[in-house]
Amino acid sequence: MKLVRYGKPGKEKPGLIDAEGKLRDLSAVVKDFSGDQLGEATLAKLRKLKTGKLPLVKGSPRMGCPVADVGKYVAIGLNYRDHAAEAGMPIPKEPIIFMKANSCIQGPNDDVMLPKGSVKGDWEIELGIVIGARARYVSQKDALTYVAGYTLCNDVSEREFQIERGPQWDKGKGCDTFGPIGPWLVTTDEITNPQKLDMWLDVNGTRRQTGNTKTMIFSAAKIVSYCSQFFTLMPGDVICTGTPPGVGMGAKPNAVFLRKGDVMTLGIEGLGEQRQLVVPFKL
């Protein structure tokens, strides 16, 4: 299933994309896609629906983040060998974990706003994992049974804040609008193997990133299992899993960073596409 939340910010409604690509409303079936509503009981109920009888949503409404009230937005750094190389950093022996502030989360096509004082805004296409069941000390073998589905993420970053202003990455990762997620939450019955998905990102129509999740250093299963050793993953938590090479920071001969008016477009096989206009800071 392709589950969505559509409508104006803060007033999104749950829906799904049917087999013909049409948006159907789920408001009469489920309150929202958050917490336990992402568990197997709800997903099993939704799979039994006759989608053709659900209300059809007219027009092209805004898509919000497909997960409401995300509890934790966990991120994994340097999870592709070529990206670590272009960043001039060693291949990690264990997953590098940091957090993106929940307040950065937004819809997949909402504007990305450069923060006040930004000089090194950057892009990162990433596979997102949406947790569907409480996961604590889970094995790698069983890890994906705790996953509700997968989504597309752009881990927007400010490299000066991230790298040049102290050892912690978080402040360069959680700025307002730095967390476009969606358009869909695609359940695991459609994405049976998250380790063979093509991915791409363009800036102003120029291809910047091309990759495939098969080249991740640590798999989705490893990441879920590993994170669960240090903190309990709850239904509705989102994990973005690292980016392939081609970020602006790594461009040769000179780095390229986001500027007002730039347009990022990106997609992952089976998970849809995003588009963001870069805008200047405003209160």
Side-chain angles (χ1 to χ4, degrees):
M1 295 179 293
K2 295 180 175 68
L3 306 179
V4 302
R5 298 174 64 250
Y6 69 94
K8 295 181 179 180
K11 296 182 179 180
E12 293 92 345
K13 297 180 179 180
L16 63 76
I17 305 299
D18 68 17
E20 297 179 352
K22 296 178 180 179
L23 175 59
R24 302 279 180 172
D25 181 64
L26 284 175
S27 298
V29 182
V30 62
K31 183 177 180 180
D32 210 340
F33 295 129
S34 64
D36 291 338
Q37 295 300 306
L38 291 167
E40 182 54 34
T42 299
L43 297 183
K45 178 182 177 180
L46 295 178
R47 290 189 190 103
K48 295 178 181 179
L49 294 174
K50 295 183 178 179
T51 56
K53 294 185 177 181
L54 294 170
L56 186 65
V57 179
K58 297 181 180 179
S60 300
R62 167 190 173 270
M63 291 293 171
C65 172
V67 182
D69 303 320
V70 174
K72 292 187 289 294
Y73 193 6
V74 184
I76 306 299
L78 303 178
N79 197 27
Y80 290 73
R81 292 181 182 274
D82 290 347
H83 174 54
E86 72 177 355
M89 298 180 182
I91 303 299
K93 295 181 180 180
E94 297 186 33
I96 296 173
I97 299 174
F98 61 94
M99 299 286 182
K100 288 178 73 78
N102 291 7
S103 53
C104 81
I105 294 172
Q106 63 171 20
N109 303 314
D110 295 341
D111 293 346
V112 164
M113 180 181 69
L114 297 173
K116 188 175 183 180
S118 173
V119 293
K120 295 184 178 181
D122 207 346
W123 54 84
E124 292 191 13
I125 183 173
E126 307 203 6
L127 170 69
I129 301 170
V130 180
I131 301 299
R134 184 177 183 271
R136 183 169 180 258
Y137 294 106
V138 302
S139 68
Q140 185 171 335
K141 178 182 177 181
D142 295 333
L144 296 188
T145 66
Y146 293 82
V147 173
Y150 303 95
T151 191
L152 169 60
C153 301
N154 188 354
D155 177 19
V156 185
S157 310
E158 213 301 335
R159 301 302 189 187
E160 184 187 54
F161 296 2
Q162 175 192 356
I163 298 171
E164 301 174 32
R165 298 180 64 177
Q168 300 296 324
W169 289 5
D170 298 44
K171 61 178 173 282
K173 294 286 190 171
C175 304
D176 291 350
T177 77
F178 273 22
I181 300 176
W184 312 322
L185 188 173
V186 183
T187 52
T188 55
D189 55 326
E190 288 199 22
I191 305 293
T192 56
N193 183 359
Q195 302 308 145
K196 60 175 185 178
L197 304 176
D198 288 329
M199 54 206 308
W200 57 271
L201 181 145
D202 294 349
V203 179
N204 301 328
T206 298
R207 182 60 45 91
R208 291 293 183 178
Q209 290 186 275
T210 302
N212 188 289
T213 56
K214 67 183 179 183
T215 65
M216 288 166 59
I217 299 170
F218 305 108
S219 68
K222 173 65 176 180
I223 288 168
V224 172
S225 174
Y226 185 84
C227 288
S228 78
Q229 313 303 309
F230 301 100
F231 45 82
T232 301
L233 294 168
M234 301 297 292
D237 287 350
V238 176
I239 308 173
C240 57
T241 59
T243 196
V247 300
M249 176 178 65
K252 301 292 188 293
N254 300 306
V256 178
F257 296 113
L258 294 170
R259 297 290 181 262
K260 170 187 173 182
D262 286 346
V263 175
M264 294 178 283
T265 52
L266 54 150
I268 295 181
E269 180 183 356
L271 300 180
E273 299 182 6
Q274 298 184 356
R275 181 187 185 277
Q276 298 109 27
L277 172 68
V278 178
V279 298
F281 172 80
K282 63 179 179 179
L283 290 174

